[in-house]
Amino acid sequence: MFNFSREWQAVATLRPLLRLAPGAMPLVIGFGVVTALSEGLSLSLFMPLFQSLTEAAGPPDTTALGRLWSLLLARFSPAEVQLVAPLGILALLAVKNGLLYLNTVIFSRFNWRISHRLRSQIFSQLLRVNSEFLMEYDAGRLMSILDKEAWQATQALSTLAVLVISLCTLAVFSVFLLLTSWPLTVVSLLLLATVSGGIQTLTRRVKELGQQAAQANLGFVGKGFEQLSGLETIRQFGRQDDEQRQFERASLQVCTTFMELDRLMGAIAPLSELAFAALLTGVLVMVVRSDAANLSVFLTFLFMLYRLSPQVRALDGARVNLVALAASVQVITELLEATRQNQMPNGHRPFVALRQGIRFQDVTFRYRQGNAPVLKNLCLEILPGQTTAFVGPSGAGKSTLMGLILRRFDPVSGTVEVDGQPLPGYDLDTWRRSAAVVSQNIYLFNTTVRENIAYGQPGASAAAIVEAAKMAAAHEFITRLPQGYDTVIGERGVRLSGGQRQRLALARCLVRDPQILVLDEATNALDSLSESFIQATLTRLGRDRTVLMIAHRLSTIERADQVFVIDGGRLVERGTVPELLQSSGLFAQLYRLQNPTRGQQ
Ligand code: ADP
């Protein structure tokens, strides 16, 4: 009848959370038992009290508890017992309630600490996952999990505490009831189990609904976040009605699932109260009809059973809640596990300086979401202090190749070596810090221009920031902004043009004075004047550092020391620009397309 398999599953999903605060559960159980003991003892003190009040209570109390109290209260006269027993009841109740309060306070601390640790751990793991994992999860979904699901997980923990305390009370009270009258206890517990069994059928449906509700909510947040990010695009294409419908559908899905969940959960408390009342009535009838009744024992028994009622209701409520919340806990523990499994392996060797170069040895890479390899058996060598350009049609795999160098992800087979050592052997932070990247996806923070540039080099001096901005051809437009370097740029830099954002991103990189500079279409949004200025700067900078660049406009790579031509994930040509032009391969074709006059020579 007591089938707790779903509850056990729910508790099992909570285990990773409980591991974050190992002392919590034993403490709650300890408190639960002592609380229940004090309440049980206080209630049993009613027996000697009733006994002392009236001789009509029947023959002397011979129950185990009755004998215990007669022994303890032997030296008091009946008149004294009438004072001592109520005081004892009060004292024990004071202990019980004091413990209950302490338990709430202590468990709340555990609870929030667990939630904080959980969030911090996930965030810290997110900072170190491979980029592919980040591509699969969108920010809205992640934020929803960190916010709502993490909160739900703490609710689940509180519910677990309620469950444990109720179970302890139930166990302790059962022992007290048995000591008072075992036949009545057996009958009552059997009836209780039947009521509880009935509630179980409800919990099954509640669990399903709990999972649906968690999914519906994630779906709604994901959809809403996507729509809010794309509001401008929606308006431009006149798709408001369509998007409104989709938004409402996702929102309605959440509402209806939660309404159904509330409806079912709302039925549980009244149903169990009613069942309990029926149980009490039954026991009362049994007592009245029994001849050998000792009134004080039965009154105490009924009183205990009555006090047990809220505990049983709390237990049932907690079971249902726990099962419903288990879905949220599962979402967050899965994220915890997934972020842990997707950590980039981190080596111990600190990266200091590039001496021999970067080598791709038979590197093959495939995205998890695509089946065909994007890079195929690639072998190439990038020399330190040189400017190396990667050229090829769109989708050839150039950005992926840069991603492997920056360790956004690791090859499926083959190795990327740095100075003769496999790249994963290096400490990730020191390696990434030595490189600076300007790519097509620029993210600027919602803060001042100065702070955005200094993000590249925390603590950079004002002079260094201006110098970097000048090198990136950004100084002039910055000084024309309302508060110059102290102008706050809007969320994602919306108040800046594409070219201005690109120049800020470049300044943010240059302020670091990086050993390795990675430019992935870094100047494609610039006018030709700014571009040629920046090209000149980069050429100057490139003399004593390693520059890797991807450029669509081939005019920007003319000064590269080495060019790799990538097509369909394979290396098809290599050489300097003049060499490649002479060989009249893919590079020469692309070059002629872009420079019809110069390509004729
Ligand atoms: P390029 O920089 O040369 O334009 P990319 O390296 O960006 O090329 O892309 C190479 C190929 O990998 C393309 O076919 C692209 O569709 C695919 N690709 C890029 N990113 C992903 C991803 N996250 N998941 C699956 N396929 C991807």
Side-chain angles (χ1 to χ4, degrees):
M1 269 181 280
F2 275 114
N3 178 4
F4 278 103
S5 61
R6 275 188 306 283
E7 287 77 0
W8 277 125
Q9 277 171 16
V11 173
T13 55
L14 280 171
R15 265 177 32 213
L17 303 191
L18 289 172
R19 256 183 252 131
L20 295 174
M25 252 321 120
L27 208 64
V28 171
I29 295 175
F31 268 106
V33 171
V34 181
T35 314
L37 269 179
S38 15
E39 181 164 13
L41 275 176
S42 79
L43 290 180
S44 69
L45 253 180
F46 275 100
M47 281 192 288
L49 181 63
F50 289 148
Q51 199 86 44
S52 73
L53 280 175
T54 166
E55 285 307 308
D61 181 0
T62 53
T63 63
L65 272 177
R67 282 204 302 272
L68 173 76
W69 282 126
S70 346
L71 209 69
L72 288 175
L73 299 172
R75 58 200 174 91
F76 296 108
S77 68
E80 283 168 334
V81 168
Q82 284 164 24
L83 188 69
V84 172
L87 282 180
I89 293 172
L90 196 64
L92 284 165
L93 281 180
V95 170
K96 177 218 146 179
N97 285 298
L99 284 176
L100 216 55
Y101 170 70
L102 258 184
N103 197 26
T104 314
V105 173
I106 293 178
F107 200 69
S108 154
R109 278 168 175 251
F110 270 122
N111 220 349
W112 288 107
R113 211 172 293 158
I114 289 175
S115 150
H116 167 70
R117 284 204 196 136
L118 187 65
R119 273 199 283 250
S120 308
Q121 193 166 335
I122 291 181
F123 189 69
S124 130
Q125 288 180 181
L126 274 175
L127 288 175
R128 287 168 182 78
V129 289
N130 58 47
S131 299
E132 274 197 276
F133 178 87
L134 288 183
M135 290 170 193
E136 286 162 19
Y137 267 87
D138 62 84
R141 185 171 149 78
L142 285 175
M143 195 55 226
S144 157
I145 297 179
L146 285 182
D147 173 28
K148 187 167 161 292
E149 312 299 324
W151 186 76
Q152 299 268 50
T154 57
Q155 294 299 300
L157 287 173
S158 309
T159 310
L160 181 65
V162 172
L163 188 83
V164 168
I165 292 176
S166 307
L167 271 178
C168 292
T169 315
L170 198 67
V172 171
F173 271 46
S174 303
V175 173
F176 274 82
L177 287 170
L178 275 173
L179 290 177
T180 313
S181 164
W182 72 262
L184 275 182
T185 308
V186 171
V187 175
S188 311
L189 286 184
L190 279 178
L191 288 172
L192 260 184
T194 320
V195 174
S196 232
I199 302 281
Q200 284 233 323
T201 41
L202 280 180
T203 62
R204 208 166 302 139
R205 178 79 187 117
V206 165
K207 182 179 183 187
E208 283 167 24
L209 276 172
Q211 278 167 345
Q212 281 173 23
Q215 281 310 321
N217 202 55
L218 280 183
F220 169 70
V221 173
K223 184 80 211 158
F225 196 77
E226 184 187 291
Q227 290 179 313
L228 289 175
S229 315
L231 274 183
E232 212 47 80
T233 317
I234 293 173
R235 279 201 291 248
Q236 270 163 20
F237 284 89
R239 297 288 296 270
Q240 290 93 324
D241 292 347
D242 197 27
E243 296 291 338
Q244 175 80 27
R245 262 195 301 280
Q246 288 185 33
F247 183 88
E248 283 177 10
R249 199 180 311 138
S251 165
L252 213 59
Q253 183 80 32
V254 176
C255 296
T256 45
T257 334
F258 272 101
M259 278 190 308
E260 179 64 10
L261 195 60
D262 288 345
R263 191 181 67 76
L264 271 187
M265 287 178 39
I268 286 166
L271 274 182
S272 52
E273 168 136 7
L274 208 61
F276 208 82
L279 175 68
L280 275 183
T281 319
V283 172
L284 199 64
V285 171
M286 275 170 64
V287 171
V288 171
R289 298 181 66 136
S290 139
D291 301 334
N294 176 321
L295 195 58
S296 68
V297 173
F298 286 122
L299 280 177
T300 310
F301 187 89
L302 270 187
F303 204 23
M304 277 199 201
L305 210 53
Y306 182 72
R307 282 297 305 147
L308 199 59
S309 143
Q311 294 301 332
V312 174
R313 263 184 284 146
L315 181 74
D316 278 330
R319 279 168 56 193
V320 177
N321 270 336
L322 193 67
V323 170
L325 290 169
S328 290
V329 177
Q330 204 164 346
V331 169
I332 198 150
T333 46
E334 272 170 13
L335 180 63
L336 188 70
E337 186 55 24
T339 48
R340 197 181 61 76
Q341 279 179 0
N342 279 281
Q343 295 289 291
M344 286 305 277
N346 198 5
H348 297 295
R349 185 193 302 269
F351 176 78
V352 186
L354 192 64
R355 295 180 215 286
Q356 296 161 31
I358 304 168
R359 215 156 111 123
F360 274 58
Q361 284 201 335
D362 212 18
V363 168
T364 297
F365 180 77
R366 174 187 306 113
Y367 283 102
R368 277 200 297 226
Q369 288 187 330
N371 358 344
V374 172
L375 294 177
K376 295 158 200 153
N377 307 98
L378 212 59
C379 295
L380 52 86
E381 198 161 347
I382 295 160
L383 296 175
Q386 289 203 347
T387 296
T388 307
F390 296 88
V391 172
S394 180
K398 305 177 296 290
S399 298
T400 307
L401 193 153
M402 293 291 191
L404 288 172
I405 295 174
L406 295 165
R407 276 208 80 204
R408 298 180 62 213
F409 21 73
D410 284 331
V412 173
S413 66
T415 45
V416 179
E417 283 180 3
V418 169
D419 292 347
Q421 300 293 332
L423 189 48
Y426 286 94
D427 170 59
L428 203 55
D429 284 347
T430 54
W431 170 247
R432 285 191 177 147
R433 249 180 260 141
S434 70
V437 194
V438 186
S439 71
Q440 302 158 67
N441 304 322
I442 294 166
Y443 185 85
L444 296 174
F445 292 93
N446 184 21
T447 171
T448 61
V449 168
R450 184 187 309 284
E451 281 168 27
N452 263 293
I453 298 179
Y455 197 81
Q457 184 70 34
S461 69
I465 290 172
V466 172
E467 175 62 19
K470 281 183 176 162
M471 283 198 283
H475 179 69
E476 222 173 292
F477 90 77
I478 294 172
T479 47
R480 270 188 268 116
L481 290 173
Q483 277 96 36
Y485 279 85
D486 294 316
T487 311
V488 174
I489 52 176
E491 217 171 32
R492 300 209 224 152
V494 281
R495 286 193 233 151
L496 298 179
S497 74
Q500 287 171 333
R501 291 174 48 176
Q502 211 162 39
R503 279 179 275 177
L504 267 196
L506 194 61
R508 176 168 70 180
C509 278
L510 297 180
V511 77
R512 285 171 81 165
D513 195 16
Q515 282 191 50
I516 302 167
L517 190 58
V518 179
L519 307 165
D520 184 349
E521 299 272 8
T523 52
N524 66 350
L526 300 186
D527 55 281
S528 347
L529 203 65
S530 309
E531 186 171 31
S532 57
F533 175 81
I534 289 173
Q535 282 307 321
T537 314
L538 292 178
T539 311
R540 186 157 45 81
L541 285 173
R543 281 191 207 119
D544 51 357
R545 75 196 67 218
T546 311
V547 179
L548 310 176
M549 57 196 301
I550 295 177
H552 210 62
R553 277 187 238 163
L554 299 183
S555 55
T556 58
I557 57 150
E558 270 171 0
R559 295 193 197 91
D561 298 293
Q562 188 171 209
V563 179
F564 290 111
V565 185
I566 312 281
D567 190 17
R570 289 184 194 282
L571 179 64
V572 290
E573 284 169 58
R574 66 198 300 170
T576 58
V577 172
E579 283 167 4
L580 289 171
L581 280 179
Q582 280 197 341
S583 73
S584 62
L586 180 61
F587 182 84
Q589 280 175 30
L590 291 171
Y591 195 88
R592 274 184 212 110
L593 275 173
Q594 289 185 11
N595 304 282
T597 45
R598 292 173 68 190
Q600 306 297 329
Q601 20 172 312

